[in-house]
Amino acid sequence: MFRSSVFFKTMTATTIFALFAVMCSGSDLSEVIPGPEGSIAVDVRKAVEFSLNNIEDIKISEVETEITYHQYREAQTLRYPELTGRGEWKNNARYPVNLRYPRGTISDYEMGMGVTLSQTIWSSGRVSLAVESARRNFEMVKLKEDVTREDVIYTAKVAYHTAILAKRALKIARESYENSIRTREALASRSAMGRASRKDNIRIESDIAARMPEVAGYEADVATAKNILKRIMGIDPRVDITLSEDFRATYSEKKYDDLVALLLEREPMLKVLEKNILLRESLIRKEKAEYLPYISGFFTWDYWGRSDEAKHWYIGQERLMDQFGAIGLSVTVPIFDMGRTRERVKQAQKDREKALLEFERTSRNLVLDLKNAVSDYNKYIEMLKANRRSVELSEQTFSLFQDLFKTGQVTLLEINDAELALTREKLEEVNTLYNINTAFARIERLVSEGEGL
């Protein structure tokens, strides 16, 4: 029958989106327009809005952005002084006493405490480049939120269009079933005049019976498509929804040249890859800074003492304690590290080369994807015109055959073939409408126009 030959391949889209749909948290449905009999009416805008508020990918992306923000804040602290404290208590259980270490040189007990204040003075760019790298990484992850957002919008739109497709196909299947019922009534009218054969009666009952599982199958497709849409939106599966929008009646062609500039300007993944290139350049300079000197200033204060008797030992006994203070500069100059720094620089350079290649590859792929999406969209618009003409002619043919069948001028096989041809053309039309809308959603995704062109 027509379902297996025309529409079944398209309905596998619901299965594909079932893999992308994730379990969502509950939603506030107060803003959704009530539908008939206690259901809620949902349009594309609401589907997108609820999906953005409930898809866990969005929440995960936001958490990742917060993590990189705090990493950036952590890198900034390298610019500021660092104060550390320390303390120690030690029992010298055994130590030498001889000519080199006469009694009293080492005591049985030692204890002390102190603080050190250090401040980077000159790091040859280590600190500033670490901060720059952390900032670029934060900006890159922040842009990934836009990538996730656009993907969620696209998924919600296609899921909504898939639900419309299922609903329209169910309507067509029911109309086909009703047509077969009317044909049986016409046959019964002819039988009253003694024109129908037993073979025709069996054939029409067989045709009616064959259409019943088709209707049931499309009803299951509608339920599946709605359940997937509800999961994406975060609506309780027990809540019934109605689709308040249908496929538009008219469509206008799109020009690739007008859209490719928008893609190169807006596409968030390209922006992410551009930031990644800048990040890799910062990391190269950061690794090269390891060849250069590092200067820091310090101040230390220690309160330290020793005693041969544990009971005499506690902070405050001035005769047992000494204070030490020091202020100075520390200069670290790399001389030779067996090539470790050089290899890290080479790795950073290769990472940048890889980032450039990824940007070029992704740019070409996205441009090609847009070109194909625009080509498909315009092709489907032309197909829609032909589909509608075919539906119109099929309707005229079926209507004519209905009149001729009542007077016995066409056979049951001929009118059944005409009805199946009409049903097939209707399914082709709605399938083309689905392809137009999904191609258009893809174009919107590529030019990052979530609210519509």
Side-chain angles (χ1 to χ4, degrees), residues 6-36:
V6 176
F7 188 66
F8 182 75
K9 294 181 180 179
T10 302
M11 285 308 297
T12 56
T14 60
T15 305
I16 295 173
F17 273 90
L19 300 176
F20 287 99
V22 295
M23 293 304 296
C24 305
S25 59
S27 307
D28 179 11
L29 304 179
S30 59
E31 297 183 1
V32 181
I33 304 172

Side-chain angles (χ1 to χ4, degrees), residues 187-212:
L187 181 64
S189 176
R190 287 174 51 180
S191 299
M193 295 181 287
R195 297 181 182 176
S197 66
R198 182 182 177 187
K199 181 179 68 173
D200 287 341
N201 286 326
I202 295 174
R203 178 61 185 272
I204 190 61
E205 293 298 334
S206 175
D207 289 339
I208 293 172
R211 283 167 171 78
M212 292 175 64

Side-chain angles (χ1 to χ4, degrees), residues 398-434:
F398 179 63
S399 179
L400 175 63
F401 275 38
Q402 280 182 314
D403 294 336
L404 295 176
F405 181 73
K406 293 176 183 179
T407 59
Q409 299 182 59
V410 296
T411 65
L412 179 62
L413 178 61
E414 288 175 316
I415 191 172
N416 187 58
D417 288 345
E419 194 282 325
L420 288 178
L422 173 60
T423 300
R424 183 168 55 251
E425 294 301 333
K426 286 182 177 180
L427 287 173
E428 290 285 1
E429 179 188 9
V430 76
N431 186 50
T432 301
L433 283 168
Y434 172 79

